[in-house]
Amino acid sequence: PGGGSVSLTTETLYPGDGKVRITVERCSAPAFCLKLRIPISCALAGLRLNGAKVGADISWGGYRSISRAWKRGDQINLDFGLEPRVVVGDHKNQGKIALLYGPLVLAADQDLLPPGAASDRPLRLNDFAAASAELSSLHFKAEPPSRNFNTWPGAREFRIDAVTRRTIGELRRGSPTSLGLVPFADAGTSGSEYKVWLPLPTTNAVENLLQDGRESRSRTGNLDGSIVDGDPQSAAVTFDGRPAAEDWFTVELDAPVVISRVVFFHGRTFHDGGWFDASNGKPRVQVKTTREGAWEDTGGLKSYPATTDTAAAGLQGGERFEAMLRAPVTVWAVRVIGKPACGDNGRQAFASCAELQAFAK
């Protein structure tokens, strides 16, 4: 500035810690204005210059300016008050929350789940729900990281109150437990599964009754996505390079449930297919009313667009389609079935699904 030179050093573990110290190491410049960026994630930031408080605490982003004749040894101390925050989901993330700590987006990681020795299967991320969307009743704790997540000097792990949705092969709602989270940048460090959006405990009236089911499809496909993971961004497909008259996506249950509504999320649209061809009929919803019974039609996805074998009619991925049943029905399995599309490659055809859900109301 002004033809002079300035050298500053910054010491911080941010965003693992909210304290930042800036020291003037060399300054041959005349007086100039130093602007300090306050992160939008910071609800309240404190600022001191050479130990003395500078103005009122700063809130919600922007810049704090300091104009003076600077000299060697001047020291600025910033304190970004790092606090947990809750983001309540909407649209595709309705009924879910995401947790943030300062600027860090947090993710639940499979490696941090409680031991599942008493269960008949390994515990999965889908078995847990955040206890509350309100921070006032959601216990939140930061602690030193375990070996897998000790990836940087400011690394932290976080724990929140959660409830298990399934244990020992049966539905058992509301069992309290602790769920570990890590910054999104550290999630999946060991190749484990992780998720940012966590479901909230719900009543059966608005709970997806297929979420504990076993999924299958008419053809294995070449994507690893699940249709019961609560994530409409992950998709399963039936692609195997060959044509098929029909494709289907199924969820089977260990115990019957009563449903009145089925929701299908389109998976992904590719140049060579990935959707259902509705030119001769919309995709159909079918159910099994006994464990080994035959499939029964219960209606179609009436709002599914007027797709053809080669045209996706605007489908891109994650679109939601709902089928209301004529009357509540007790089911052991649910599937959506239809004719797969080929896109620009008539030698094959396939469909996709991001999520298959069913509700009591």
Side-chain angles (χ1 to χ4, degrees):
S5 64
V6 178
S7 175
L8 306 176
T9 60
T10 302
E11 300 167 83
T12 185
L13 290 176
Y14 182 82
D17 184 274
K19 293 178 172 55
V20 182
R21 181 168 60 197
I22 302 171
T23 303
V24 179
E25 298 292 345
R26 183 179 71 252
C27 183
S28 62
F32 64 89
C33 177
L34 180 65
K35 292 186 176 182
L36 303 167
R37 179 75 172 101
I38 310 302
I40 191 65
S41 61
C42 180
L44 206 61
L47 173 62
R48 291 181 176 272
L49 174 61
N50 297 330
K53 188 173 182 178
V54 179
D57 288 343
I58 315 153
S59 62
W60 300 116
Y63 287 85
R64 172 55 62 91
S65 300
I66 305 177
S67 295
R68 61 180 270 123
W70 298 90
K71 64 181 185 301
R72 182 178 179 179
D74 281 344
Q75 195 169 93
I76 299 164
N77 288 90
L78 280 163
D79 189 357
F80 299 137
L82 299 183
E83 295 181 348
R85 290 180 290 142
V86 167
V87 177
V88 178
D90 55 14
H91 303 295
K92 295 177 183 178
N93 291 312
Q94 188 78 35
K96 301 178 185 179
I97 62 170
L99 275 294
L100 289 80
Y101 181 70
L104 297 173
V105 175
L106 304 182
D109 192 287
Q110 182 73 32
D111 277 353
L112 295 177
L113 291 187
S119 176
D120 61 353
R121 62 175 177 75
L123 292 172
R124 310 301 299 172
L125 287 175
N126 286 345
D127 298 335
F128 295 88
S132 172
E134 300 294 331
L135 274 176
S136 59
S137 58
L138 185 67
H139 182 255
F140 186 96
K141 181 182 179 182
E143 56 189 32
S146 59
R147 177 174 53 85
N148 282 352
F149 300 99
N150 192 17
T151 58
W152 55 292
R156 298 287 186 273
E157 283 179 18
F158 305 87
R159 304 207 75 83
I160 62 165
D161 291 337
V163 293
T164 54
R165 298 189 298 105
R166 177 182 177 180
T167 58
I168 319 177
E170 64 183 7
L171 297 181
R172 193 168 75 194
R173 309 294 168 184
S175 303
T177 188
S178 177
L179 188 59
L181 304 101
V182 290
F184 180 76
D186 291 330
T189 297
S190 67
S192 55
E193 296 180 5
Y194 57 89
K195 63 166 54 180
V196 170
W197 290 100
L198 304 174
L200 291 169
T202 57
T203 65
N204 284 339
V206 293
E207 180 180 35
N208 172 23
L209 299 175
L210 303 184
Q211 62 190 348
D212 295 301
R214 300 182 306 278
E215 62 180 292
S216 62
R217 62 201 71 128
S218 51
R219 294 179 284 170
T220 303
N222 60 351
L223 285 183
D224 294 331
S226 169
I227 65 172
V228 290
D229 61 357
D231 181 6
Q233 304 303 315
S234 71
V237 300
T238 59
F239 177 84
D240 65 0
R242 289 176 283 189
E246 286 187 314
D247 271 327
W248 45 259
F249 298 89
T250 296
V251 179
E252 297 178 275
L253 301 168
D254 293 326
V257 296
V258 178
I259 67 170
S260 297
R261 180 165 57 97
V262 173
V263 177
F264 173 86
F265 286 82
H266 169 60
R268 296 184 188 174
T269 297
F270 301 87
H271 69 93
D272 55 352
W275 63 91
F276 286 113
D277 173 8
S279 56
N280 291 316
K282 302 291 181 75
R284 309 186 312 280
V285 175
Q286 296 182 329
V287 300
K288 282 186 178 182
T289 55
T290 61
R291 187 191 290 271
E292 304 299 333
W295 288 106
E296 304 174 21
D297 280 331
T298 61
L301 299 177
K302 295 180 180 179
S303 60
Y304 199 84
T307 55
T308 67
D309 200 19
T310 58
L315 290 177
Q316 296 181 347
E319 290 86 355
R320 179 181 185 275
F321 305 101
E322 187 171 301
M324 293 296 299
L325 307 188
R326 291 183 289 272
V329 60
T330 301
V331 303
W332 284 84
V334 177
R335 76 178 181 183
V336 169
I337 184 170
K339 180 186 176 185
C342 69
D344 61 7
N345 183 358
R347 295 186 299 275
Q348 54 78 61
F350 66 100
S352 68
C353 175
E355 198 76 7
L356 185 58
Q357 303 175 344
F359 302 88
K361 294 183 180 179

